[in-house]
Amino acid sequence: MRVVVIAYLSLLLVIPVSLIFWRTFSNGVAPVWHALQDPAMTSAFRVTAIVTGISVVIDTVFGVGISLLLVRYRFPGRAFLDAVLDLPLAISPVVVGLALILVYGRYGWFGGWLESHGFQVIFALPGMVLATVFTSLPLVAREVMPVLEEIGIEQEQAARTLGAGSGQTFRRITLPAIRWALAYGVVLSMARCLVNKTQTLPLVVDQSFQNYDVTTAYTASFVLAAIAIASLVVISILRPKERA
């Protein structure tokens, strides 16, 4: 069974990622460095960082909030809200883009009014953030909710009994208990944000291959893979130390 699992992971993950790394540096470091200096690449880096940063912050705040709401409270419509939370994972990003255009496009419900007041959503940074947040929204919540259910409410109730307010209870009791689930959720959210098709690194990869600029395509792919791997490695290294 171990051999089958290792072979499966190798064919599905290790070999393809290793091939990207090998192809990226097959002609040396100089072409890669030159590709990184390309204006299109630097612009993609900047947009990717901005969109990902904003989206991860929104996902984190929303994820923690909705987790506390669904786990700690009972209210009418809770089951429906819990089901709707997974909707972004079931809908194709293409459908999400179309829906945003219908709502925020020039001829959409709100797009015309917003553009007339000097605020463009579609084909601009706000639209990128909206699309990215929508596709990655449930990831933090789905990591935090099981931990909240596991730790229960006894410690939080004890803190309130001793006079701690809601904010203090969250900072001193709840947040330390969910910190690793939150960290994993943030990493997953960041990875999801990085692969969205905006004018960012993924689109640079696609356009570069279409233009037969394989060096730029492999370089951008390498950067995306390296960021994801580095994030997971950091979390994996820090977690055992915290437990120790």
Side-chain angles (χ1 to χ4, degrees):
M1 182 64 71
R2 287 196 295 267
V3 172
V4 172
V5 171
I6 293 173
Y8 176 77
L9 290 176
S10 297
L11 291 173
L12 187 67
L13 182 63
V14 177
I15 293 177
V17 173
S18 300
L19 184 60
I20 290 175
F21 282 35
W22 177 73
R23 288 291 184 88
T24 301
F25 296 99
S26 60
N27 295 319
V29 178
V32 176
W33 179 252
H34 183 268
L36 290 173
Q37 306 302 312
D38 186 87
M41 183 75 79
T42 55
S43 175
F45 273 120
R46 183 172 63 255
V47 175
T48 299
I50 294 173
V51 172
T52 301
I54 296 174
S55 301
V56 168
V57 170
I58 295 174
D59 287 342
T60 302
V61 174
F62 173 84
V64 174
I66 196 70
S67 299
L68 290 170
L69 179 65
L70 291 175
V71 175
R72 294 289 186 257
Y73 299 94
R74 297 294 182 268
F75 53 90
R78 176 181 174 276
F80 176 75
L81 180 60
D82 189 25
V84 170
L85 182 61
D86 290 327
L87 191 62
L89 300 178
I91 297 179
S92 169
V94 176
V95 177
V96 175
L98 176 60
L100 290 176
I101 290 175
L102 292 176
V103 176
Y104 297 105
R106 177 172 298 178
Y107 303 104
W109 289 357
F110 307 113
W113 182 85
L114 290 172
E115 287 194 19
S116 67
H117 289 77
F119 187 78
Q120 184 177 356
V121 177
I122 302 301
F123 305 116
L125 185 64
M128 296 180 187
V129 172
L130 282 174
T132 304
V133 167
F134 184 90
T135 55
S136 59
L137 201 58
L139 297 176
V140 173
R142 287 309 179 193
E143 290 293 325
V144 172
M145 287 174 64
V147 178
L148 284 174
E149 292 174 351
E150 182 180 353
I151 64 176
I153 61 174
E154 290 79 10
Q155 295 184 45
E156 296 175 0
Q157 289 178 336
R160 294 192 184 97
T161 302
L162 295 173
S166 299
Q168 190 176 14
T169 301
F170 176 78
R171 292 193 307 271
R172 298 286 184 86
I173 305 297
T174 309
L175 186 58
I178 65 172
R179 62 187 179 278
W180 285 115
L182 181 59
Y184 274 109
V186 169
V187 170
L188 291 175
S189 178
M190 183 179 69
R192 177 76 170 179
C193 293
L194 286 172
V195 299
N196 276 292
K197 290 251 181 180
T198 57
Q199 184 54 44
T200 53
L201 287 176
L203 192 55
V204 169
V205 175
D206 184 52
Q207 291 177 344
S208 298
F209 266 117
Q210 291 182 9
N211 295 330
Y212 302 100
D213 185 3
V214 294
T215 300
T216 300
Y218 282 128
T219 300
S221 300
F222 167 77
V223 170
L224 288 172
I227 292 173
I229 293 173
S231 301
L232 293 174
V233 168
V234 168
I235 292 297
S236 299
I237 291 175
L238 292 180
R239 187 170 188 175
K241 291 182 178 180
E242 183 67 20
R243 283 183 170 179

